[in-house]
Amino acid sequence: MAREQIAPTKSNLIKVKERLSIAQEGYDLLEQKREILVSELMRKIELVKILDRDLDRRVETAYPALKRMLVVVGRDRAHRLAQNVSYRFESTEKLVVTAGMKIPGLEVQIPAMDLKYSPVNSFAECDETVLEFFELLKICTELAALRTIAWRLAREVRRTQRRVNALEKMVIPTANETRIYIESVLEERERDAFFSTKLLKKKGVSNR
């Protein structure tokens, strides 16, 4: 591992030790953050799997209900009935607190279900179809919101992992190598100074 190209002085040694200490503390904090994020991401993924299964089950009942309605009512009448049905859906971005972080999430507001048929034109199959697809829509919106959070958590995990890797594989080893190098040079200088002092003392004694 390459070291920093700086002069091996005591002041630089102090600076390198401070940087190394800060880097190690930062690494520990980021590693803790990464573990929390991964744990929360895995929890979200499990919830996504559950909603995926709910979605599959709802699809298995919703589309057969639609087919039954089309057989009983007929496509033309179903189309005319659908022309009179209109719902307003609103989606907004909101901050979701997860793993100690505020992550932008998605919130879709489902309107209250209102069966918009007159007694003359009402069919049980129409009501059943509307109910089925409203439930299907609720699951889809929950799943979309959850997937949005999971995707952003995964992105934060990758970002944190890159920072952890940079500290672990570059910053800390480089600072550590620099510390070792400066300490070895300073120790060598102290030994040289010690021997030089002893030699001078010996020369001074022998000259007497």
Side-chain angles (χ1 to χ4, degrees):
M1 177 59 65
R3 59 175 174 80
E4 298 176 58
Q5 299 300 315
I6 58 176
T9 63
K10 289 184 178 181
S11 61
N12 281 338
L13 178 60
I14 292 172
K15 292 177 183 177
V16 169
K17 284 183 175 181
E18 288 177 351
R19 287 204 302 272
L20 182 59
S21 176
I22 292 171
Q24 287 173 335
E25 288 178 7
Y27 172 82
D28 292 339
L29 290 173
L30 285 172
E31 183 62 20
Q32 291 175 18
K33 177 183 176 181
R34 187 192 67 82
E35 290 176 359
I36 292 171
L37 287 171
V38 169
S39 176
E40 186 63 20
L41 176 59
M42 296 307 296
R43 195 176 72 84
K44 297 298 184 187
I45 289 174
E46 287 303 314
L47 291 175
V48 167
K49 290 179 180 178
I50 292 171
L51 282 177
D52 274 333
R53 290 194 291 269
D54 291 345
L55 181 63
D56 290 340
R57 285 194 292 267
R58 184 57 63 179
V59 166
E60 290 174 359
T61 59
Y63 282 92
L66 176 62
K67 290 179 181 178
R68 287 194 299 272
M69 185 269 290
L70 292 175
V71 169
V72 173
V73 178
R75 289 182 179 273
D76 291 339
R77 180 177 288 182
H79 179 71
R80 288 195 301 273
L81 291 171
Q83 296 301 309
N84 298 321
V85 179
S86 177
Y87 290 101
R88 181 179 178 84
F89 299 88
E90 295 183 358
S91 61
T92 55
E93 191 175 57
K94 68 172 185 177
L95 291 177
V96 178
V97 179
T98 181
M101 299 172 50
K102 291 183 178 179
I103 298 177
L106 179 67
E107 181 179 42
V108 180
Q109 296 176 349
I110 304 293
M113 188 181 63
D114 183 15
L115 300 177
K116 302 176 183 294
Y117 313 113
S118 67
V120 177
N121 292 324
S122 181
F123 295 89
E125 289 78 12
C126 290
D127 296 346
E128 180 188 4
T129 302
V130 172
L131 287 169
E132 285 284 351
F133 274 87
F134 250 81
E135 291 301 317
L136 180 62
L137 183 59
K138 287 180 183 178
I139 296 173
C140 286
T141 56
E142 289 176 15
L143 188 56
L146 193 58
R147 283 184 183 276
T148 300
I149 295 172
W151 180 80
R152 285 173 171 162
L153 272 173
R155 187 173 62 179
E156 189 63 29
V157 168
R158 288 194 296 270
R159 184 185 294 117
T160 303
Q161 185 63 60
R162 285 196 296 268
R163 294 171 67 188
V164 168
N165 289 341
L167 286 170
E168 181 182 16
K169 301 182 184 302
M170 295 178 61
V171 177
I172 292 176
T174 298
N176 201 42
E177 285 293 322
T178 304
R179 176 188 63 80
I180 293 171
Y181 164 72
I182 294 176
E183 286 178 343
S184 64
V185 171
L186 293 177
E187 287 173 1
E188 183 67 25
R189 287 177 181 172
E190 287 180 1
R191 284 194 296 269
D192 290 344
F194 175 75
F195 287 121
S196 296
T197 302
K198 288 188 69 174
L199 286 173
L200 288 173
K201 286 182 177 179
K202 286 183 177 179
K203 285 181 179 180
V205 171
S206 60
N207 289 335
R208 291 178 186 176

